[in-house]
Amino acid sequence: MGTELHNRLNRCREILRSLGSVVVAFSAGVDSTFLLALAVETLGSRNVLAAMGISPSLPQRERQAGRRIAHQIGVELVEVETTELSDPHYVSNPPDRCYYCKINLFKRLKKLSARRGIRAVVSGANADDTGDFRPGLLACKELDIRNPLLEAGLTKKEIRLASRAMGLETWNKPAMACLATRVPYGDRITIEKLQRIDQAESILKDLGFSQCRVRDYDVLARIEVPTDEIAKVVEFRETLIASLKSLGYVYITLDMEGFRSGSMNESLTTEIRLEPRERNASHLDSRKTNHA
């Protein structure tokens, strides 16, 4: 590892030490797994608690992976049932849906930390997340959730390098996001949709597609895989058609652009990408300018 990465890791350790004890919002992904392992290394397992939000938007494979990884790291794991599907704001699936999901989760983790006498709740956002549409970061700010990786300036690439050096199995794990990200903005999120998406992606993963998405457009499924695996999808054409139609899809399509994280955000305008409070502030600033 280079000097710059070494310095950023030390900065992250300093942040964790300043907090003393932490609840880590854990999803079994690259970032949260690394943060969890680094927290245990820095603070000791007695001062770290892994907390995984459990809801229909979490793939079953990720729940199982979370249990295994927490055991390997040697830290206690608490599975926290979340209730975002009872929130009409979340269910209506606006562009800032993630904000309502994170508010729901983080409020529960704050209560958990208070019950257990743990000083802070930390999340695995990294420095790259500031350049993407991430409404969840607003929830962090409002509830005083710390993001040590982001605060230390660690990028996804650096986190993967450091994870490999630590021997973490997630160092080369494909990007993962909650199942709700497969539903077009404005389409209602339901348990049935989330379960169907989970089943559809499991079919693809069982066929060897570790990096994949099934975007759900009600009767239509849009499959995304890396561009160098598109031909492989065609090889499994008949199997995929039969399997996905058995789940209720009528039309099965393949996205020729291939997999890309956050492809549902491609339809958003700059105005929509602003979080609600930023949109309001922007509107107020515009009014002030017009009246100046």
Side-chain angles (χ1 to χ4, degrees):
M1 290 187 288
T3 301
E4 190 171 357
L5 174 54
H6 179 76
N7 291 338
R8 287 176 178 167
L9 288 173
N10 282 339
R11 172 57 183 152
C12 193
R13 293 187 182 98
E14 289 173 5
I15 293 169
L16 289 167
R17 279 193 288 267
S18 73
L19 297 175
S21 58
V22 296
V23 171
V24 178
F26 177 58
S27 67
V30 177
D31 301 327
S32 66
T33 296
F34 175 71
L35 178 59
L36 180 63
L38 191 66
V40 169
E41 177 190 278
T42 305
L43 302 175
S45 59
R46 292 184 178 181
N47 294 310
V48 180
L49 181 65
M52 175 173 269
I54 305 299
S55 81
S57 67
L58 176 72
Q60 285 299 312
R61 288 176 184 243
E62 295 305 296
R63 184 175 187 176
Q64 295 164 6
R67 291 171 174 170
R68 184 184 69 254
I69 291 169
H71 178 73
Q72 291 172 349
I73 292 174
V75 65
E76 181 184 355
L77 172 67
V78 175
E79 296 185 352
V80 180
E81 297 287 342
T82 59
T83 59
E84 65 270 20
L85 281 165
S86 65
D87 181 352
H89 295 292
Y90 174 86
V91 171
S92 66
N93 197 16
D96 58 349
R97 172 199 63 243
C98 187
Y99 166 80
Y100 300 105
C101 178
K102 294 298 186 184
I103 282 287
N104 186 292
L105 172 63
F106 291 150
K107 283 183 177 179
R108 281 163 172 71
L109 299 193
K110 294 280 281 189
K111 291 179 180 178
L112 174 62
S113 67
R115 287 198 307 270
R116 299 288 290 265
I118 298 175
R119 292 178 56 187
V121 177
V122 296
S123 182
N126 66 63
D128 293 332
D129 292 332
T130 58
D132 195 6
F133 180 57
R134 300 280 180 171
L137 289 177
L138 181 60
C140 287
K141 182 177 180 181
E142 290 183 3
L143 294 177
D144 194 27
I145 306 299
R146 297 292 295 272
N147 296 289
L149 304 178
L150 188 157
E151 294 172 35
L154 286 161
T155 64
K156 175 73 80 173
K157 181 179 179 180
E158 290 172 330
I159 291 165
R160 288 189 183 278
L161 288 172
S163 295
R164 186 175 187 179
M166 292 179 72
L168 298 174
E169 66 176 70
T170 52
W171 75 270
N172 65 342
K173 184 175 182 176
M176 189 63 202
C178 83
L179 297 172
T181 62
R182 281 56 152 179
V183 182
Y185 293 122
D187 288 4
R188 289 180 63 81
I189 297 173
T190 66
I191 292 176
E192 292 74 23
K193 279 185 183 179
L194 298 175
Q195 291 175 338
R196 181 168 69 166
I197 294 166
D198 194 15
Q199 292 171 344
E201 292 188 355
S202 288
I203 290 167
L204 281 160
K205 289 175 181 177
D206 287 341
L207 291 172
F209 298 96
S210 59
Q211 181 83 86
C212 63
R213 296 285 187 272
V214 175
R215 309 294 184 182
D216 187 297
Y217 296 82
D218 194 16
V219 297
L220 184 147
R222 174 166 64 87
I223 298 172
E224 291 181 14
V225 298
T227 53
D228 60 356
E229 293 188 342
I230 285 177
K232 184 179 174 183
V233 173
V234 178
E235 291 178 19
F236 289 107
R237 173 179 169 274
E238 292 184 3
T239 298
L240 286 170
I241 289 173
S243 299
L244 269 62
K245 283 196 172 186
S246 72
L247 298 178
Y249 294 111
V250 178
Y251 306 104
I252 317 300
T253 66
L254 175 62
D255 192 315
M256 298 304 290
E257 279 194 77
F259 167 81
R260 59 252 188 236
S261 293
S263 68
M264 290 301 197
N265 293 339
E266 293 169 2
S267 64
L268 300 181
T269 64
T270 300
E271 175 71 11
I272 291 175
R273 283 172 180 267
L274 293 174
E275 282 87 355
R277 290 159 184 75
E278 291 177 334
R279 287 202 296 271
N280 291 338
S282 176
H283 176 66
L284 289 174
D285 288 343
S286 175
R287 287 180 60 187
K288 289 177 182 177
T289 302
N290 291 337
H291 285 83

